[in-house]
Amino acid sequence: MININFSHYFGRSVSIFKADIDKHDSEICEIVSSSSFLVLGAAGSVGQAVVKEIFRRNPVKLHLVDINENNMTELVRDIRSSMGYVKGDFRTFILDIGSLEFDYFLNESSGYDYVLNLSALKHVRSEKDKYTLMRMVKTNILNTKKTVLQSIKINAKKYFSVSTDKATAPVNLMGASKRVMELFLNYYSNKINISSARFANVAFSDGSLLDGFKYRFIKRQPIVAPHDIKRYFISSEESGQLCLLSCLLGENKDIFFPKLDSIDLIPIHEIAEKYIFEMGFKPKICKSEDEARSLMGSSFRKGMWPLLQTISDTTGEKPFEEFYGVKDNLDMNYFNNIGIIKNRLDDYDFDKLERFESQIKHMLKQKKWTKEEIINEFSLIIPELNYKDIGKYLDDKM
């Protein structure tokens, strides 16, 4: 994730959670400095932010697990260069949490007080084909259940897993996978304390549209941004703070989310324009991909950068963000800028969850499945799932 001037793009220079962090920081520091942590998916954008929040408060033990060795290497270099060292046991492990190697690692560990799962397939584009969709199901649902059970086995005090705003009234399969994940977490909360967090877009996070602006400039390619989409954005730091607060202070079954009245709704094309100006160019608005590509060389020489403004017309796009439903029991008073879905009691049938898992494992064992079969299993658990495959995906656009 690139370094950006967050206030330049989003109009705030101080974290929206600063008042909440300041109010509870002594309690947070006391917990962290006397506890051991295992962070799964530690090298992703949110994972890195959470790791830094824990590290700076001197944990007894902080072990990081991620499959991405390059991101993990950079995370360690970043920490050493900015915060130095802690007295506690700080180590990294390049492991897939769904693997036998991870199981062996956990079996030989001395245990952890807190297990935080930040691993996820988070892109809607990952649901376009049956193969990647199945990997999303395994990562977001099966691996979550697996690591919850492992956390119970090692007597962890708390399990935290990050969710998404897209789990509320889902219209795409990524959101559906996180919604089913939440249902599994809710079930196992009778055996271990569990909390979660939903939030929207983390600005310039790895793989995001905004993060892609950097690569377009490095490669001297046009920038593309939708002109009909507005989104709420939080900073990397804010994502780490929200997860830490939920993990350490959230009660069993709590789902934390940012109060939207503390965040501005930002048109994405305006962020693209600001980025181009910040890089020393002026936007050259284009009407088609061909025009944007063809003008790259000539525009560059004139101090212009091609910007293609598109419409949002791909499968799984949600027109707005929402963090809770009408039936949810909310606490909007305990924190300044954080709302809490309290002790969520979903009307669900665990037999359906067991059937879902059984059917998915059967497909994997047979090494044969269709996208429609997976969608059908989602629909049996989430009747309100409003998924419409219109046959056009993000990979079909520049």
Side-chain angles (χ1 to χ4, degrees), residues 371-385:
K371 184 176 178 178
E372 289 70 27
E373 287 174 328
I374 298 176
I375 293 172
N376 181 62
E377 295 304 322
F378 275 130
S379 298
L380 291 175
I381 296 181
I382 315 172
E384 69 274 18
L385 176 62

Side-chain angles (χ1 to χ4, degrees), residues 124-125 127-129 172 289 308 310-317 371 387-398:
V124 175
R125 68 175 68 237
E127 62 188 48
K128 67 183 184 302
D129 63 81
N172 53 55
E289 291 187 2
L308 175 61
T310 64
I311 61 171
S312 179
D313 59 354
T314 54
T315 299
E317 290 293 334
K371 184 176 178 178
Y387 176 76
K388 295 179 181 179
D389 191 336
I390 61 177
K392 186 173 184 179
Y393 307 96
L394 289 171
D395 282 355
D396 298 322
K397 303 176 70 173
M398 191 167 76

Side-chain angles (χ1 to χ4, degrees), residues 281-322:
F281 293 83
K282 294 181 180 179
K284 171 63 177 175
I285 306 300
C286 301
K287 297 180 180 179
S288 69
E289 291 187 2
D290 287 339
E291 181 187 10
R293 283 187 290 262
S294 67
L295 290 178
M296 188 64 243
S298 60
S299 295
F300 180 82
R301 289 188 293 271
K302 296 177 182 178
M304 308 287 285
W305 204 279
L307 171 60
L308 175 61
Q309 296 185 356
T310 64
I311 61 171
S312 179
D313 59 354
T314 54
T315 299
E317 290 293 334
K318 197 169 185 178
F320 56 90
E321 291 133 326
E322 53 186 338

Side-chain angles (χ1 to χ4, degrees), residues 20 33 44 63 66 76 85 136 139 147 159 162 182 198 215 222 281 292 312 334 336 343 348 390:
D20 293 311
S33 63
H63 287 177
D66 202 290
V76 174
Y85 298 82
M136 177 185 284
T139 300
T147 53
Y159 183 93
V162 70
E182 289 180 349
R198 291 178 179 172
Y215 297 102
F281 293 83
S312 179
Y334 188 79
N336 287 301
N343 299 319
Y348 70 93
I390 61 177

Side-chain angles (χ1 to χ4, degrees), residues 121-137:
L121 260 67
K122 63 178 184 178
H123 290 289
V124 175
R125 68 175 68 237
S126 295
E127 62 188 48
K128 67 183 184 302
D129 63 81
K130 63 181 180 181
Y131 315 104
T132 318
L133 173 58
M134 181 59 84
R135 181 167 177 254
M136 177 185 284
V137 171

